[in-house]
Amino acid sequence: MGGVTDREADSAAVPATPFDLASMRKQYRAEGLSETELAATPVEQFARWFKQAATDGGLFEPNAMVVSTADAQGRPSSRTVLLKHFDAQGFVFYTNYDSRKARELGENPHVSLLFPWHPMARQVVVTGVAWRTGRDETAAYFRTRPHGSQLGAWASAQSTVVAGRRALDAAYAELVARYPEGEQVPVPPHWGGFRVVPQAVEFWQGRENRLHDRLRYEAEADGGWRVERLSP
């Protein structure tokens, strides 16, 4: 008789979930998405959907997106970040350049963005390459942030181990004393933006019986876009 592996033993020790996960599903009944309805470019189509998400979607933060990166060895990591700008040149977010995501983008600039608009039974997935924004663009955005958020960019050495909440609060309190409300906070040299230049953008619309609509824009060498329908 074969023995029980460590992994099997660990699995057996985990208590059963009180939920029947296999039966947790929703039947999507939203209208579909056809090729004839699409805008000429993915950014134009994204603008249409984003406007609906921001005004009619019932979403708390429609600009929240899951940013997935990978290090030089291909090990992935994901986190939720807020989109702060988009245009024909790409999708922009800001972060600490010493954070894990920024370090990984320095090693491997390929990135994926996922907008999970669940109440609308929609998703948008952007895949592309991320490049740092210029310092002027970074400074212009930094000036629009609330005073507390500006101080937070200095107080937190993002992704590093911190001794405890007390240490973080103490660092912030020191900055509040140094830069009181109304005094200009300098832009941290270790903080700035990334612009994700899209190479492909998929628009996913939930449909009945899991026969979802998935339409993907793929960048072409001449600067144009072709549209492909993917099986759900």
Side-chain angles (χ1 to χ4, degrees):
M1 181 181 295
V4 177
T5 66
D6 290 342
R7 180 171 295 181
E8 289 172 337
D10 290 342
S11 177
V14 176
T17 175
F19 304 102
D20 181 5
L21 298 180
S23 66
M24 294 178 70
R25 61 174 62 87
K26 296 290 185 180
Q27 179 71 290
Y28 302 127
R29 298 182 182 277
E31 294 183 0
L33 178 65
S34 70
E35 289 83 346
T36 59
E37 298 172 343
L38 291 180
T41 70
V43 173
E44 292 176 83
Q45 181 63 34
F46 181 84
R48 290 180 184 177
W49 271 22
F50 186 83
K51 181 179 180 180
Q52 294 172 7
T55 57
D56 306 320
L59 297 165
F60 174 61
E61 287 185 318
N63 61 327
M65 58 185 183
V66 179
V67 178
S68 296
T69 57
D71 63 16
Q73 287 71 48
R75 294 171 297 194
S77 63
S78 299
R79 73 291 291 161
T80 302
V81 178
L82 297 179
L83 176 71
K84 288 302 178 181
H85 179 75
F86 68 91
D87 56 26
Q89 281 67 54
F91 300 80
V92 179
F93 66 90
Y94 292 86
T95 188
N96 187 312
Y97 283 147
D98 294 326
S99 66
R100 178 176 179 176
K101 71 178 90 58
R103 294 197 308 270
E104 290 183 349
L105 288 173
E107 299 174 357
N108 177 0
H110 295 279
V111 62
S112 173
L113 312 177
L114 167 64
F115 294 85
W117 295 333
H118 300 308
M120 304 176 71
R122 286 179 174 176
Q123 296 182 82
V124 180
V125 181
V126 179
T127 53
V129 177
W131 307 106
R132 290 189 181 191
T133 60
R135 292 308 294 173
D136 288 346
E137 184 176 353
T138 288
Y141 169 70
F142 188 80
R143 298 288 174 231
T144 70
R145 304 186 89 204
H147 184 75
S149 296
Q150 293 181 6
L151 297 180
W154 280 100
S156 172
Q158 197 173 86
S159 300
T160 63
V161 176
V162 63
R165 181 73 200 194
R166 183 175 297 178
L168 187 62
D169 290 340
Y172 183 82
E174 181 181 337
L175 287 160
V176 169
R178 187 185 310 173
Y179 301 106
E181 189 75 43
E183 185 167 336
Q184 182 168 294
V185 180
V187 182
H190 57 271
W191 188 94
F194 281 100
R195 173 172 284 99
V196 177
V197 180
Q199 297 172 331
V201 184
E202 179 186 329
F203 293 86
W204 182 100
Q205 176 67 69
R207 297 294 300 277
E208 289 183 304
N209 304 315
R210 295 302 186 261
L211 296 177
H212 314 304
D213 287 324
R214 297 177 60 189
L215 298 181
R216 181 175 64 191
Y217 291 80
E218 286 278 351
E220 298 195 294
D222 62 1
W225 298 89
R226 71 176 185 274
V227 174
E228 303 169 325
R229 177 174 285 272
L230 305 179
S231 296

